[in-house]
Amino acid sequence: MDGNRFSPSTATDRVESAIRHVWTFLEDSIPFANTHGAEFISENHWEAFLQPAIQSQLLALSKDRLISLPVGIHQHEDNDLATYVKAATSCHLENLHILDTLPSTTACSDSFKGVVAESMSQKKLHEVEIMANTVAGMVHDCDCNADLVVDVGSGKGYLSLELAGHHQLNVLGLDSNQGNTHGAKHRKEMLSSRWKSLVAKTDCKTSLKNSSGCGVNIVCAEEFDKEVMDRYIPVTQFVTPDMNLSSILSQHAISLCRESSPEQVKAVITGLHTCGSLAVSAMRLFITDPRAVGLCLVGCCYQLMEEESADNDEEDIHFPLSQYGKSLKLHLGRNARNLASQSVHRIAESGQLQGEEFYWRALLEMIIQKLGIPHPERIMGIRGLNKRNASFYDYARKAFEKLGFSLDRLTPEFISEMERLYQCERTKMAAYFQLKLALAPVIESLILLDRLLFLLEQPSVQKASIVRLFDPVASPRCYAIFSLKTKDS
């Protein structure tokens, strides 16, 4: 990464400016972002959150135009809806002049090594291939002098095994789930024992395309080192910001880094789709532990983060992280964070309107309200029920049974009348949700900019940047945060 462009002294002001730009647009839309589909009809969201001009402009769009709305609207449009969507689009990371590019040593090239495709989906292949190549390039070419890689939330070891097998790196995999650790050990042993048969049945020319258009080998037998048993150790460990990473490194460095003193081993921390708080824990661990010299992290599941509140201690807060973000009193809300986890590119690619799938749930909520049935503020246990029933009548009855409600008043005539009364809400709901989805990349931008600024605010950080690693259609959480420590930290 370009040290001049992304050193803290030159990047902080630019990131703060980007945060101000995003928050200026987003702050007034936070209540809209936090609406819930179940309450669309009962709380009259259409009238409560949309101006009349935007209502009519939304309803005038064709289905195809609605589907593409979250990723931007045609530039020649000149109305309130287009103005709003264009303002949202200006807050995407790609349009904020913040994204860095990978240095040539880690960028996609003909030297990409293969991925062992055994038990991996096409999506996972795409991610593991690029992430492994990038982390390896960071270790070898970014002058961080790391002895090993710590893979947090390592799961069943897909990324770890690629780093160890194809890139000959020492890897310590940490995962809080004992079952995942067993799965990682099993995969490691399987690859070692079955390698000859895997090679025999695999065509090395098989490939897929990544976002840069480069051919990605699924497997390349001659490049995979079968002795990964000695370079990869999966460990069951709950990762926290205050855990003693140095002690863990020293314990396993005896096996992983035989040529280095266990007390002096340095590590790059990485994680592929670290969920919610785990991404923040990894960042804080990187900052606080002197053994950690580099960071390469792709987060996900923003809804699992905790925000600043009277009930949360400082170490339990995952947003905002930066001092500047706290000074602006940035806030999102659970539904807004959940929205940030949506993939507007994949949704546009699917050709399906998203709001329609919540229509039955919203109509059910209206029925419960109309019948005056007491119920918890948040109804649980009926998610996905709409996909298992052919009609709304069947869906409503199954939902009532699951919730323990009486079926006496849920007659076919009553259901039919409710469907007739609110049938126009279905079209409105689809349009409403497509517009709401336009906020998804904006909210994700704010979360990632806050994380980037948090790193830049640290005295020990030499460089920090955000890079788009993956094709956003293939892998919706496509952004990685990179950081390197100063030499004397």
Side-chain angles (χ1 to χ4, degrees):
M1 285 153 282
D2 188 331
N4 292 323
R5 181 182 171 196
F6 279 90
S7 64
S9 60
T10 59
T12 301
D13 289 345
R14 292 172 53 251
V15 178
E16 288 182 354
S17 176
I19 289 175
R20 284 196 303 273
H21 175 76
V22 174
W23 186 236
T24 298
F25 166 76
L26 184 59
E27 185 175 12
D28 290 340
S29 294
I30 289 296
F32 173 45
N34 276 294
T35 56
H36 194 285
E39 300 166 344
F40 178 79
I41 300 175
S42 61
E43 299 295 330
N44 197 10
H45 286 166
W46 182 258
E47 297 294 337
F49 291 97
L50 300 184
Q51 298 173 358
I54 288 184
Q55 292 175 9
S56 60
Q57 289 155 17
L58 275 172
L59 294 177
L61 293 179
S62 66
K63 180 180 177 180
D64 288 344
R65 293 293 302 283
L66 270 178
I67 290 169
S68 64
L69 183 67
V71 293
I73 203 163
H74 294 299
Q75 294 300 309
H76 66 266
E77 298 282 350
D78 186 19
N79 55 38
D80 292 346
L81 175 61
T83 299
Y84 184 80
V85 174
K86 287 175 184 175
T89 304
S90 75
C91 298
H92 294 188
L93 281 174
E94 284 86 355
N95 300 322
L96 290 169
H97 309 292
I98 288 294
L99 292 182
D100 197 1
T101 55
L102 289 172
S104 58
T105 50
T106 57
C108 181
S109 69
D110 292 337
S111 65
F112 257 54
K113 296 182 183 298
V115 171
V116 180
E118 191 81 357
S119 304
M120 270 199 258
S121 66
Q122 199 77 340
K123 173 180 179 290
K124 185 62 70 175
L125 282 169
H126 175 77
E127 296 164 351
V128 168
E129 171 65 33
I130 298 173
M131 188 77 167
N133 193 74
T134 303
V135 172
M138 187 179 189
V139 172
H140 293 312
D141 304 311
C142 289
D143 195 29
C144 60
N145 298 317
D147 302 286
L148 58 79
V149 175
V150 177
D151 183 7
V152 298
S154 54
K156 295 184 178 179
Y158 297 120
L159 175 61
S160 295
L161 281 164
E162 294 306 317
L163 290 169
H166 277 138
H167 297 279
Q168 289 78 54
L169 296 177
N170 301 313
V171 184
L172 179 64
L174 304 182
D175 196 281
S176 62
N177 188 310
Q178 182 70 38
N180 283 340
T181 304
H182 285 310
K185 290 178 179 177
H186 173 74
R187 180 175 169 80
K188 183 173 73 166
E189 292 164 359
M190 179 273 295
L191 287 177
S192 180
S193 63
R194 294 180 54 202
W195 186 245
K196 287 185 178 180
S197 62
L198 286 173
V199 171
K201 71 178 183 180
T202 305
D203 181 359
C204 284
K205 295 180 181 179
T206 305
S207 68
L208 55 93
K209 294 288 184 180
N210 67 19
S211 57
S212 301
C214 301
V216 179
N217 295 326
I218 290 180
V219 68
C220 201
E222 67 273 13
E223 291 182 356
F224 191 86
D225 188 338
K226 297 184 289 296
E227 301 303 320
V228 294
M229 303 290 283
D230 296 331
R231 276 199 307 277
Y232 168 46
I233 299 177
V235 176
T236 301
Q237 175 71 50
F238 190 83
V239 176
T240 63
D242 57 353
M243 72 183 228
N244 193 336
L245 179 62
S246 294
S247 174
I248 296 172
L249 292 179
S250 296
Q251 177 184 349
H252 295 286
I254 298 173
S255 301
L256 288 172
C257 310
R258 295 186 177 90
E259 297 179 0
S260 303
S261 169
E263 290 73 28
Q264 297 178 347
V265 165
K266 305 288 187 180
V268 164
I269 295 177
T270 191
L272 177 55
H273 292 156
T274 47
C275 287
S277 63
L278 181 58
V280 178
S281 293
M283 291 173 62
R284 286 177 168 152
L285 190 63
F286 165 69
I287 292 299
T288 57
D289 200 292
R291 298 281 198 97
V293 294
L295 179 74
C296 178
L297 201 66
V298 178
C300 68
C301 302
Y302 304 125
Q303 71 274 17
L304 300 179
M305 301 190 309
E306 294 289 343
E307 294 190 54
E308 189 166 8
S309 72
D311 299 327
N312 284 336
D313 295 329
E314 181 70 23
E315 60 269 19
D316 295 328
I317 297 171
H318 311 133
F319 180 87
L321 291 174
S322 66
Q323 292 303 312
Y324 184 70
K326 291 176 182 178
S327 73
L328 292 179
K329 300 187 184 306
L330 301 181
H331 60 278
L332 294 173
R334 180 181 173 83
N335 287 340
R337 298 195 309 272
N338 190 60
L339 182 62
S341 296
Q342 299 295 314
S343 169
V344 295
H345 295 91
R346 182 178 287 181
I347 289 168
E349 186 85 1
S350 74
Q352 300 296 318
L353 293 172
Q354 295 302 294
E356 290 182 341
E357 68 181 66
F358 295 104
Y359 172 66
W360 281 4
R361 177 65 184 88
L363 186 54
L364 179 72
E365 189 75 18
M366 192 65 205
I367 288 173
I368 292 172
Q369 186 179 103
K370 201 134 195 164
L371 295 177
I373 300 173
H375 63 280
E377 183 177 348
R378 190 177 177 191
I379 289 178
M380 310 286 286
I382 60 173
R383 188 171 184 175
L385 196 61
N386 58 326
K387 298 177 181 178
R388 301 193 293 272
N389 290 276
S391 69
F392 177 70
Y393 175 72
D394 293 336
Y395 164 80
R397 289 184 66 87
K398 284 286 172 55
F400 266 46
E401 288 174 357
K402 279 185 170 290
L403 297 170
F405 299 161
S406 171
L407 299 176
D408 293 347
R409 298 164 65 188
L410 210 62
T411 63
E413 294 77 19
F414 174 72
I415 292 294
S416 179
E417 177 63 11
M418 291 295 288
E419 287 187 279
R420 185 190 67 79
L421 283 174
Y422 296 103
Q423 62 182 349
C424 63
E425 298 297 318
R426 189 170 202 142
T427 300
K428 292 178 181 178
M429 194 169 188
Y432 181 92
F433 269 73
Q434 291 299 125
L435 179 59
K436 184 176 164 182
L437 280 169
L439 297 177
V442 181
I443 300 167
E444 182 176 35
S445 292
L446 190 64
I447 293 170
L448 295 180
L449 287 170
D450 176 61
R451 291 180 179 181
L452 175 60
L453 187 56
F454 168 72
L455 291 171
L456 291 171
E457 289 174 344
Q458 309 304 317
S460 61
V461 166
Q462 178 189 8
K463 304 173 186 178
S465 61
I466 300 175
V467 174
R468 198 185 89 174
L469 282 187
F470 311 134
D471 182 329
V473 175
S475 184
R477 304 281 71 78
C478 59
Y479 298 106
I481 289 184
F482 288 85
S483 190
L484 294 174
K485 292 271 192 69
T486 57
K487 297 298 182 187
D488 56 352
S489 62

